[in-house]
Every structure is written in structure tokens, then in C-alpha cells.
Amino acid sequence: MPNALNANVGTADICLLTDTPLELVLEELEVAGVKVEQGIVTRTGAPGAISSIYVRDLDGNLIEISRYV
């Protein structure tokens, strides 16, 4: 406790921050056979601009891998 109000498989949306250049992250994902939902895109994080990659885990949860610009 506390936990999600309406928890269900595939309903999470998680953002992970990295210091690794996203071009290298894309290469690592490709080698691992991870399907990329959306390539490097510009978004806004709490303190400013970020670049993000979107993938899904095996349960269908959306995972955003981001790096501050």
C-alpha cells in the first residue's frame, strides 16, 4: 500500500532516465531484439526538454527511455 486504483496488466506507463546517448540505447535495444514503438522524439520533462524512445515490456506496459537535452 498504496497501490494503483485500477491496476491491470499492461496499464503502466513508466519513464526511465538515462545519461547514455539515445542512439546507443537504440543500438542496444536492436541487438536485444526489442521492438521500438517510437524512435527518438522530443518531449518535455519536469525541468526541461528531453529526448525519448518508447518500447513495451512483455505485459504491454509502455516504457519511455529518456535523456535530458
Side-chain angles (χ1 to χ4, degrees), residues 37-59:
E37 292 279 321
Q38 204 168 26
I40 300 173
V41 294
T42 303
R43 298 286 189 249
T44 302
I50 57 174
S51 294
S52 299
I53 297 169
Y54 293 88
V55 298
R56 294 199 183 269
D57 69 9
L58 297 176
D59 289 326

PDB file of all heavy atoms in Angstrom, residues 37-59:
ATOM      1  N   GLU A  37       8.587   1.222 -30.296  1.00  0.00           N
ATOM      2  CA  GLU A  37       7.283   1.771 -30.672  1.00  0.00           C
ATOM      3  C   GLU A  37       7.444   3.116 -31.373  1.00  0.00           C
ATOM      4  O   GLU A  37       6.745   3.419 -32.319  1.00  0.00           O
ATOM      5  CB  GLU A  37       6.414   1.973 -29.429  1.00  0.00           C
ATOM      6  CG  GLU A  37       5.989   0.700 -28.762  1.00  0.00           C
ATOM      7  CD  GLU A  37       4.798   0.058 -29.442  1.00  0.00           C
ATOM      8  OE1 GLU A  37       3.881   0.772 -29.867  1.00  0.00           O
ATOM      9  OE2 GLU A  37       4.813  -1.180 -29.539  1.00  0.00           O
ATOM     10  N   GLN A  38       8.336   3.948 -30.833  1.00  0.00           N
ATOM     11  CA  GLN A  38       8.575   5.268 -31.392  1.00  0.00           C
ATOM     12  C   GLN A  38      10.029   5.610 -31.137  1.00  0.00           C
ATOM     13  O   GLN A  38      10.526   5.463 -30.033  1.00  0.00           O
ATOM     14  CB  GLN A  38       7.647   6.287 -30.718  1.00  0.00           C
ATOM     15  CG  GLN A  38       7.382   7.510 -31.535  1.00  0.00           C
ATOM     16  CD  GLN A  38       6.239   8.330 -30.955  1.00  0.00           C
ATOM     17  OE1 GLN A  38       5.952   8.289 -29.773  1.00  0.00           O
ATOM     18  NE2 GLN A  38       5.581   9.085 -31.805  1.00  0.00           N
ATOM     19  N   GLY A  39      10.698   6.090 -32.200  1.00  0.00           N
ATOM     20  CA  GLY A  39      12.127   6.400 -32.121  1.00  0.00           C
ATOM     21  C   GLY A  39      12.410   7.619 -31.279  1.00  0.00           C
ATOM     22  O   GLY A  39      11.596   8.017 -30.458  1.00  0.00           O
ATOM     23  N   ILE A  40      13.528   8.231 -31.501  1.00  0.00           N
ATOM     24  CA  ILE A  40      13.915   9.387 -30.696  1.00  0.00           C
ATOM     25  C   ILE A  40      12.999  10.565 -31.040  1.00  0.00           C
ATOM     26  O   ILE A  40      12.969  11.030 -32.173  1.00  0.00           O
ATOM     27  CB  ILE A  40      15.393   9.746 -30.941  1.00  0.00           C
ATOM     28  CG1 ILE A  40      16.285   8.559 -30.557  1.00  0.00           C
ATOM     29  CG2 ILE A  40      15.771  10.986 -30.141  1.00  0.00           C
ATOM     30  CD1 ILE A  40      17.745   8.733 -30.904  1.00  0.00           C
ATOM     31  N   VAL A  41      12.244  10.992 -30.036  1.00  0.00           N
ATOM     32  CA  VAL A  41      11.306  12.105 -30.203  1.00  0.00           C
ATOM     33  C   VAL A  41      11.549  13.117 -29.085  1.00  0.00           C
ATOM     34  O   VAL A  41      12.039  12.767 -28.013  1.00  0.00           O
ATOM     35  CB  VAL A  41       9.836  11.635 -30.185  1.00  0.00           C
ATOM     36  CG1 VAL A  41       9.538  10.759 -31.388  1.00  0.00           C
ATOM     37  CG2 VAL A  41       9.502  10.898 -28.906  1.00  0.00           C
ATOM     38  N   THR A  42      11.214  14.363 -29.333  1.00  0.00           N
ATOM     39  CA  THR A  42      11.377  15.419 -28.336  1.00  0.00           C
ATOM     40  C   THR A  42      10.124  15.526 -27.487  1.00  0.00           C
ATOM     41  O   THR A  42       9.009  15.542 -27.994  1.00  0.00           O
ATOM     42  CB  THR A  42      11.657  16.768 -29.029  1.00  0.00           C
ATOM     43  OG1 THR A  42      12.817  16.625 -29.849  1.00  0.00           O
ATOM     44  CG2 THR A  42      11.900  17.863 -28.017  1.00  0.00           C
ATOM     45  N   ARG A  43      10.333  15.594 -26.187  1.00  0.00           N
ATOM     46  CA  ARG A  43       9.255  15.743 -25.227  1.00  0.00           C
ATOM     47  C   ARG A  43       9.671  16.776 -24.184  1.00  0.00           C
ATOM     48  O   ARG A  43      10.789  17.280 -24.206  1.00  0.00           O
ATOM     49  CB  ARG A  43       8.960  14.406 -24.511  1.00  0.00           C
ATOM     50  CG  ARG A  43       8.494  13.300 -25.429  1.00  0.00           C
ATOM     51  CD  ARG A  43       7.059  13.545 -25.865  1.00  0.00           C
ATOM     52  NE  ARG A  43       6.527  12.391 -26.560  1.00  0.00           N
ATOM     53  CZ  ARG A  43       6.252  12.356 -27.850  1.00  0.00           C
ATOM     54  NH1 ARG A  43       6.481  13.401 -28.598  1.00  0.00           N
ATOM     55  NH2 ARG A  43       5.747  11.273 -28.404  1.00  0.00           N
ATOM     56  N   THR A  44       8.802  17.039 -23.231  1.00  0.00           N
ATOM     57  CA  THR A  44       9.120  17.954 -22.142  1.00  0.00           C
ATOM     58  C   THR A  44       9.090  17.187 -20.833  1.00  0.00           C
ATOM     59  O   THR A  44       8.087  16.558 -20.501  1.00  0.00           O
ATOM     60  CB  THR A  44       8.111  19.117 -22.079  1.00  0.00           C
ATOM     61  OG1 THR A  44       8.137  19.791 -23.340  1.00  0.00           O
ATOM     62  CG2 THR A  44       8.475  20.095 -20.989  1.00  0.00           C
ATOM     63  N   GLY A  45      10.206  17.238 -20.111  1.00  0.00           N
ATOM     64  CA  GLY A  45      10.280  16.638 -18.785  1.00  0.00           C
ATOM     65  C   GLY A  45      10.060  17.713 -17.731  1.00  0.00           C
ATOM     66  O   GLY A  45       9.882  18.891 -18.058  1.00  0.00           O
ATOM     67  N   ALA A  46      10.082  17.337 -16.472  1.00  0.00           N
ATOM     68  CA  ALA A  46       9.822  18.286 -15.386  1.00  0.00           C
ATOM     69  C   ALA A  46      10.747  19.509 -15.453  1.00  0.00           C
ATOM     70  O   ALA A  46      10.265  20.632 -15.416  1.00  0.00           O
ATOM     71  CB  ALA A  46       9.928  17.586 -14.042  1.00  0.00           C
ATOM     72  N   PRO A  47      12.093  19.327 -15.578  1.00  0.00           N
ATOM     73  CA  PRO A  47      12.950  20.509 -15.611  1.00  0.00           C
ATOM     74  C   PRO A  47      13.291  21.011 -17.016  1.00  0.00           C
ATOM     75  O   PRO A  47      14.065  21.938 -17.160  1.00  0.00           O
ATOM     76  CB  PRO A  47      14.208  20.070 -14.879  1.00  0.00           C
ATOM     77  CG  PRO A  47      14.266  18.612 -15.039  1.00  0.00           C
ATOM     78  CD  PRO A  47      12.850  18.134 -15.230  1.00  0.00           C
ATOM     79  N   GLY A  48      12.739  20.399 -18.071  1.00  0.00           N
ATOM     80  CA  GLY A  48      13.051  20.899 -19.409  1.00  0.00           C
ATOM     81  C   GLY A  48      12.924  19.846 -20.486  1.00  0.00           C
ATOM     82  O   GLY A  48      12.326  18.793 -20.289  1.00  0.00           O
ATOM     83  N   ALA A  49      13.501  20.164 -21.647  1.00  0.00           N
ATOM     84  CA  ALA A  49      13.391  19.309 -22.827  1.00  0.00           C
ATOM     85  C   ALA A  49      14.103  17.968 -22.630  1.00  0.00           C
ATOM     86  O   ALA A  49      15.180  17.907 -22.036  1.00  0.00           O
ATOM     87  CB  ALA A  49      13.967  20.015 -24.037  1.00  0.00           C
ATOM     88  N   ILE A  50      13.459  16.906 -23.122  1.00  0.00           N
ATOM     89  CA  ILE A  50      14.048  15.572 -23.118  1.00  0.00           C
ATOM     90  C   ILE A  50      13.863  14.951 -24.496  1.00  0.00           C
ATOM     91  O   ILE A  50      13.008  15.359 -25.269  1.00  0.00           O
ATOM     92  CB  ILE A  50      13.418  14.639 -22.056  1.00  0.00           C
ATOM     93  CG1 ILE A  50      11.899  14.508 -22.256  1.00  0.00           C
ATOM     94  CG2 ILE A  50      13.758  15.080 -20.663  1.00  0.00           C
ATOM     95  CD1 ILE A  50      11.234  13.504 -21.331  1.00  0.00           C
ATOM     96  N   SER A  51      14.686  13.973 -24.789  1.00  0.00           N
ATOM     97  CA  SER A  51      14.502  13.117 -25.959  1.00  0.00           C
ATOM     98  C   SER A  51      14.100  11.756 -25.431  1.00  0.00           C
ATOM     99  O   SER A  51      14.617  11.302 -24.400  1.00  0.00           O
ATOM    100  CB  SER A  51      15.788  13.020 -26.777  1.00  0.00           C
ATOM    101  OG  SER A  51      16.095  14.273 -27.340  1.00  0.00           O
ATOM    102  N   SER A  52      13.178  11.091 -26.132  1.00  0.00           N
ATOM    103  CA  SER A  52      12.631   9.838 -25.616  1.00  0.00           C
ATOM    104  C   SER A  52      12.523   8.757 -26.674  1.00  0.00           C
ATOM    105  O   SER A  52      12.358   9.056 -27.857  1.00  0.00           O
ATOM    106  CB  SER A  52      11.234  10.068 -25.032  1.00  0.00           C
ATOM    107  OG  SER A  52      11.273  10.965 -23.966  1.00  0.00           O
ATOM    108  N   ILE A  53      12.619   7.512 -26.218  1.00  0.00           N
ATOM    109  CA  ILE A  53      12.363   6.314 -27.010  1.00  0.00           C
ATOM    110  C   ILE A  53      11.255   5.565 -26.277  1.00  0.00           C
ATOM    111  O   ILE A  53      11.251   5.502 -25.043  1.00  0.00           O
ATOM    112  CB  ILE A  53      13.615   5.418 -27.079  1.00  0.00           C
ATOM    113  CG1 ILE A  53      14.752   6.141 -27.777  1.00  0.00           C
ATOM    114  CG2 ILE A  53      13.301   4.090 -27.779  1.00  0.00           C
ATOM    115  CD1 ILE A  53      16.093   5.425 -27.633  1.00  0.00           C
ATOM    116  N   TYR A  54      10.318   4.995 -27.026  1.00  0.00           N
ATOM    117  CA  TYR A  54       9.219   4.246 -26.416  1.00  0.00           C
ATOM    118  C   TYR A  54       9.262   2.786 -26.840  1.00  0.00           C
ATOM    119  O   TYR A  54       9.397   2.488 -28.027  1.00  0.00           O
ATOM    120  CB  TYR A  54       7.868   4.845 -26.828  1.00  0.00           C
ATOM    121  CG  TYR A  54       7.641   6.223 -26.265  1.00  0.00           C
ATOM    122  CD1 TYR A  54       8.072   7.351 -26.949  1.00  0.00           C
ATOM    123  CD2 TYR A  54       7.014   6.391 -25.043  1.00  0.00           C
ATOM    124  CE1 TYR A  54       7.871   8.621 -26.432  1.00  0.00           C
ATOM    125  CE2 TYR A  54       6.804   7.659 -24.512  1.00  0.00           C
ATOM    126  CZ  TYR A  54       7.241   8.766 -25.221  1.00  0.00           C
ATOM    127  OH  TYR A  54       7.041  10.022 -24.699  1.00  0.00           O
ATOM    128  N   VAL A  55       9.160   1.897 -25.844  1.00  0.00           N
ATOM    129  CA  VAL A  55       9.091   0.455 -26.075  1.00  0.00           C
ATOM    130  C   VAL A  55       7.999  -0.104 -25.166  1.00  0.00           C
ATOM    131  O   VAL A  55       7.465   0.612 -24.323  1.00  0.00           O
ATOM    132  CB  VAL A  55      10.440  -0.244 -25.779  1.00  0.00           C
ATOM    133  CG1 VAL A  55      11.538   0.271 -26.704  1.00  0.00           C
ATOM    134  CG2 VAL A  55      10.863  -0.053 -24.330  1.00  0.00           C
ATOM    135  N   ARG A  56       7.664  -1.367 -25.330  1.00  0.00           N
ATOM    136  CA  ARG A  56       6.710  -2.032 -24.436  1.00  0.00           C
ATOM    137  C   ARG A  56       7.387  -3.244 -23.794  1.00  0.00           C
ATOM    138  O   ARG A  56       8.188  -3.927 -24.432  1.00  0.00           O
ATOM    139  CB  ARG A  56       5.467  -2.473 -25.197  1.00  0.00           C
ATOM    140  CG  ARG A  56       4.686  -1.283 -25.698  1.00  0.00           C
ATOM    141  CD  ARG A  56       3.261  -1.629 -26.030  1.00  0.00           C
ATOM    142  NE  ARG A  56       2.595  -0.459 -26.565  1.00  0.00           N
ATOM    143  CZ  ARG A  56       1.921   0.419 -25.824  1.00  0.00           C
ATOM    144  NH1 ARG A  56       1.803   0.239 -24.535  1.00  0.00           N
ATOM    145  NH2 ARG A  56       1.352   1.467 -26.378  1.00  0.00           N
ATOM    146  N   ASP A  57       7.035  -3.510 -22.542  1.00  0.00           N
ATOM    147  CA  ASP A  57       7.548  -4.719 -21.902  1.00  0.00           C
ATOM    148  C   ASP A  57       6.661  -5.900 -22.303  1.00  0.00           C
ATOM    149  O   ASP A  57       5.722  -5.751 -23.088  1.00  0.00           O
ATOM    150  CB  ASP A  57       7.665  -4.540 -20.382  1.00  0.00           C
ATOM    151  CG  ASP A  57       6.336  -4.449 -19.655  1.00  0.00           C
ATOM    152  OD1 ASP A  57       5.269  -4.681 -20.280  1.00  0.00           O
ATOM    153  OD2 ASP A  57       6.344  -4.153 -18.449  1.00  0.00           O
ATOM    154  N   LEU A  58       6.961  -7.067 -21.782  1.00  0.00           N
ATOM    155  CA  LEU A  58       6.239  -8.278 -22.182  1.00  0.00           C
ATOM    156  C   LEU A  58       4.764  -8.267 -21.781  1.00  0.00           C
ATOM    157  O   LEU A  58       3.958  -8.985 -22.370  1.00  0.00           O
ATOM    158  CB  LEU A  58       6.936  -9.518 -21.607  1.00  0.00           C
ATOM    159  CG  LEU A  58       8.361  -9.738 -22.124  1.00  0.00           C
ATOM    160  CD1 LEU A  58       8.985 -10.934 -21.420  1.00  0.00           C
ATOM    161  CD2 LEU A  58       8.374  -9.905 -23.619  1.00  0.00           C
ATOM    162  N   ASP A  59       4.390  -7.427 -20.798  1.00  0.00           N
ATOM    163  CA  ASP A  59       2.989  -7.315 -20.394  1.00  0.00           C
ATOM    164  C   ASP A  59       2.254  -6.223 -21.159  1.00  0.00           C
ATOM    165  O   ASP A  59       1.070  -5.999 -20.944  1.00  0.00           O
ATOM    166  CB  ASP A  59       2.888  -7.021 -18.893  1.00  0.00           C
ATOM    167  CG  ASP A  59       3.266  -8.220 -18.042  1.00  0.00           C
ATOM    168  OD1 ASP A  59       2.984  -9.361 -18.476  1.00  0.00           O
ATOM    169  OD2 ASP A  59       3.831  -8.028 -16.962  1.00  0.00           O
TER     170      ASP A  59
END
